[in-house]
Structure formats: structure tokens, C-alpha cells
Amino acid sequence: MPNPGIQVLLEKIVRFRNELEKPFVGRSEEATVLTLALITGEHVLLIGEPGTAKSALARRAAELINARFFKYLLTRFTEPDELFGPLDINELRNGRYVRITRGKLPEAEIAFIDEIFNANSAILNMMLSIMNERIVYDGYSEIKVPLWTMISATNRVPDETELQALYDRFLLRHFVKPVEENKWGELLDAVWRIESGLYLHGEPVLSVEDLAKLNGLVYQVDVSPVKEKLIKLYGIFEDQGIHVTDRRKGKALKIIAANALLRQSTKASEDDLFVLKYVIPRDIEEAEKTYVILLDEIEAREKHLKELSEIEANVKEAKTFISNTPELDPRLLDYLRSFETVKEKVRKLASESSDDEVRKRAMDVLAEVNDVIDLIKKKLIM
């Protein structure tokens, strides 16, 4: 059990993740991947179409940390001055090459760079150094920057050779999808609340100093329980044609440890290996293959949650059909036997799982299954 000081930090980061997600619908994964990036001080790339709340999530993250924030959309014509500040003319007259960085990227603690792969060669070289070394090499000077995490967005995976080094700087990559159709009603309500100003400013729940402490805790997490399984997974990825560089193999441990902290634990478990889906894939095809491999190889929370979601979707579909089925229809008996089997499966999962979220989710689904069973019984006795 973590000591009280550590426990407070872990509770703060869980609250941060929950508050980050709160205004949005269907953005639980995005909130998690941003939180993992902030715990580790790594950079994250969100890949997907415009209008999927990428910049809104980044801004809210900065507000919840009370961090200095910089946001910019890159085009092919963006000049370094726009990001790094203009030259100070007075200093230049005195023979000194100095930029005015106030309000620009070199002073940001969290930055959101949209369409980052539009960077030209001048910006590209400066981006690489700021992301990797937290230094801007500018003329004859080096500017140390306080950047903690860069959050970037794009609608494509770059194929250009000159962009591969930049792409690789993003340890975390997540493919953002539009909100699912069954959540469109919730989406309308959420957007209405946001537009009305309900979530205009997020109240800070932790600080950059808290992030530094959490980052230190990452290296105190016991990752030994997952190392053997991790090495096995790397072998499976390679066998399936998914190449993982040595750097990503090693750095993945940071993300695994950060996920353990997000579970308020200082010991990694197999559950935490699911975060490899944010580290391993290069493109959407590899993302799908990686997820299938993880589901096949790991008996863990996410596998159970996915199964419960599928059961819930089937229950809702069946409930609609049964409601429109005539009383005493012989097919109802088949449905009853089927749902009694499903009920036992979900009940067993609810009672045997050691994960609080799985147990709660299973109990919710069990209630829905019982509702359908009651509906069928009423139809059969009428």
C-alpha cells in the first residue's frame, strides 16, 4: 500500500483523468492516453479526422494542471518566428541573436501542435531538438525550454522519409475515431453544455510540480511481474510483421508503469500491458493487429470489459425485438434459455473478477439481462 503522500498524488492523477474526460462523450481512451503522456513526460500524437475534440482535450489538460499552454496550426508556409518568437531587433543591432519568446512555444509547459507533419525543414529541425532534448538550437544560442509534453494532431500517418524521425518522437500514438452512433444523443447534450459555457475553464486539480513527482514514482513501480510476458509479446509482434524499435521496446516500460500508477498501484500487472496498443503500432492496420494480439494473449480487465460491452449491445438489440414479439411466441423459450446462460456467465464474472470496474460493469449488465428475462417471462404467461 503506497504511503499517504504517494496515495494523495495517485488520487490526484485519477481525478485529473476523470475531469479531463468529463465534458466529452466517447473520449475515455483519449483522456487515458493524454494522462499517460503527462505522467511520463512523453509526447503524444492523436491521429484522426478534424472535429474529434483533439485540441479541446489538450487545452483542458493544460487548464487542469494550470500549465502554460501554446497552441498552433502548422501549414506549409508557417515560419519559425510564428512558433519560436520573432528576433529582437534591438539586440540584433548590438550583434546578439535573441528571440522574443513571450507567449510562444519555448515558454510553454504543454503545447498543442495541429497538423505537425506540415512542418518545413527549418521548423522540423527545431521541433526535433525541443521534443528530444528540451532545447531550442537557435543561431548561436541554446534555449532551454520547460516543455513537459507536446500533444500533436494529424489526419495521416507520414510516409515521407524526412518525417520519420519526428513521427518516432511520439512514444504514444492513438487513432481517434468519431463518436459511435449509439452515443449521438449524449454527444448533442455534451456539445450543448460545452457551447453554453458550462466547462469554459477547468479548475486545476494538480500542478506541473505534481507531474514531476509522479514522473519520479514511475521508476519506483515494480515492473518485474510483466517483463517475461512483455518479451513474449515483442516476439509475437515481430512474427506478425509488426516491427518494434529497440527504443520503443525499452520506453514502453514507462507507459506500463504509468498505467499501474493510474490504477493506484506501484506494481505492474498483465492488465497494464494493454497500453502497448498506444506504443507499438505504426499505422491503423498495425493498431488493429496489435489489439487482437493483446486480446488473445492477455487475460485482463480490458478483455472482460470488451466482452461485457458486446453482451450489453446484444441485450439491447434483443430487448427491442422481444418487445415487438407476440405473446406466447415459441421463439421466446429459446430466448429465455439463451439469456439464462448469459446471466450465469455475467454473474460468474461479477463474482470472480478482482477488478472493481469489471465487477461494477458486470453488475450493470446483469441488471439489464434480468430485465430482459423478466420481459420474456411476462410474455410467456400472458
Side-chain angles (χ1 to χ4, degrees):
M1 185 75 175
N3 69 44
I6 291 175
Q7 189 62 40
V8 168
L9 273 177
L10 298 184
E11 289 171 1
K12 278 187 176 183
I13 197 63
V14 171
R15 185 184 169 204
F16 167 83
R17 200 220 73 88
N18 294 339
E19 288 293 325
L20 179 57
E21 178 189 5
K22 186 181 287 186
F24 310 102
V25 171
R27 295 295 166 223
S28 178
E29 273 205 274
E30 288 74 13
T32 295
V33 76
L34 261 63
T35 303
L36 293 173
L38 290 162
I39 293 172
T40 56
E42 291 289 345
H43 309 299
V44 56
L45 180 66
L46 302 174
I47 307 164
E49 64 182 61
T52 47
K54 297 186 289 293
S55 64
L57 280 159
R59 182 177 293 279
R60 183 164 174 83
E63 289 174 351
L64 292 174
I65 300 168
N66 197 25
R68 294 196 298 275
F69 183 64
F70 177 78
K71 173 185 172 182
Y72 212 80
L73 169 66
L74 294 191
T75 72
R76 290 178 300 160
F77 309 106
T78 302
E79 295 291 334
D81 288 6
E82 298 173 55
L83 294 173
F84 303 101
L87 290 176
D88 188 323
I89 301 301
N90 292 329
E91 293 289 347
L92 195 60
R93 288 186 182 126
N94 295 324
R96 288 190 291 272
Y97 191 89
V98 177
R99 286 191 182 273
I100 302 171
T101 59
R102 190 179 305 110
K104 299 294 184 180
L105 181 56
E107 294 192 358
E109 293 166 321
I110 294 177
F112 178 76
I113 306 298
D114 203 358
E115 295 302 339
I116 191 165
F117 298 117
N118 284 335
N120 55 45
S121 58
I123 290 174
L124 182 62
N125 289 331
M126 297 174 82
M127 281 290 190
L128 287 171
S129 63
I130 199 172
M131 292 173 70
N132 201 39
E133 304 169 63
R134 273 34 177 212
I135 289 175
V136 176
Y137 293 99
D138 192 26
Y140 301 100
S141 62
E142 292 183 3
I143 304 172
K144 291 185 178 180
V145 300
L147 182 69
W148 184 264
T149 290
M150 181 179 289
I151 303 165
S152 291
T154 182
N155 59 14
R156 69 183 182 96
V157 173
D159 291 323
E160 300 91 328
T161 303
E162 64 271 19
L163 294 176
Q164 294 313 303
L166 181 62
Y167 188 49
D168 194 54
R169 289 293 184 275
F170 293 99
L171 181 60
L172 291 154
R173 302 163 180 162
H174 176 58
F175 294 87
V176 182
K177 298 177 182 177
V179 173
E180 296 173 354
E181 185 175 350
N182 63 352
K183 292 183 178 178
W184 286 354
E186 294 176 55
L187 175 66
L188 294 180
D189 292 339
V191 172
W192 186 262
R193 289 192 295 270
I194 291 170
E195 291 291 323
S196 70
L198 182 61
Y199 296 105
L200 193 58
H201 297 292
E203 289 295 321
V205 297
L206 75 166
S207 64
V208 176
E209 290 75 22
D210 290 329
L211 288 180
K213 292 174 184 176
L214 283 160
N215 186 251
L217 283 179
V218 165
Y219 303 99
Q220 296 180 33
V221 173
D222 180 7
V223 294
S224 61
V226 301
K227 279 186 178 178
E228 187 176 337
K229 185 73 172 185
L230 181 59
I231 292 167
K232 179 186 175 184
L233 285 169
Y234 286 156
I236 294 171
F237 292 140
E238 293 290 344
D239 288 344
Q240 294 295 317
I242 302 172
H243 178 63
V244 187
T245 63
D246 289 348
R247 176 163 64 167
R248 299 186 87 79
K249 282 189 180 87
K251 282 201 166 194
L253 276 175
K254 291 173 64 176
I255 308 302
I256 292 165
N259 198 66
L261 293 178
L262 200 48
R263 291 190 299 102
Q264 300 191 61
S265 174
T266 54
K267 187 173 184 177
S269 72
E270 278 201 10
D271 284 3
D272 301 310
L273 293 174
F274 265 104
V275 296
L276 292 173
K277 65 182 177 179
Y278 306 128
V279 178
I280 302 301
R282 186 188 179 280
D283 53 34
I284 190 66
E285 281 188 28
E286 287 193 358
E288 291 168 358
K289 287 172 69 176
T290 298
Y291 188 54
V292 169
I293 290 168
L294 293 173
L295 284 175
D296 286 343
E297 294 295 325
I298 300 172
E299 290 289 342
R301 179 181 67 165
E302 187 140 346
K303 190 170 184 175
H304 293 315
L305 290 173
K306 184 175 187 292
E307 185 178 17
L308 288 167
S309 292
E310 290 172 353
I311 290 172
E312 184 180 42
N314 291 335
V315 168
K316 288 180 177 178
E317 184 178 341
K319 190 173 184 178
T320 301
F321 177 78
I322 292 165
S323 296
N324 297 318
T325 301
E327 290 80 6
L328 303 176
D329 189 310
R331 292 173 296 177
L332 291 172
L333 285 171
D334 292 331
Y335 270 105
L336 182 59
R337 283 191 288 268
S338 174
F339 277 107
E340 289 289 358
T341 302
V342 171
K343 176 182 176 179
E344 180 57 28
K345 182 177 183 179
V346 176
R347 187 201 62 74
K348 186 177 179 182
L349 189 56
S351 63
E352 294 182 359
S353 176
S354 60
D355 186 277
D356 290 341
E357 185 177 354
V358 171
R359 283 201 303 271
K360 183 180 182 304
R361 189 84 172 87
M363 292 303 294
D364 291 343
V365 173
L366 187 60
E368 293 187 45
V369 173
N370 282 327
D371 285 346
V372 173
I373 290 173
D374 289 343
L375 177 62
I376 295 171
K377 288 179 177 178
K378 287 178 182 177
K379 290 256 182 179
L380 285 172
I381 62 175
M382 288 179 72

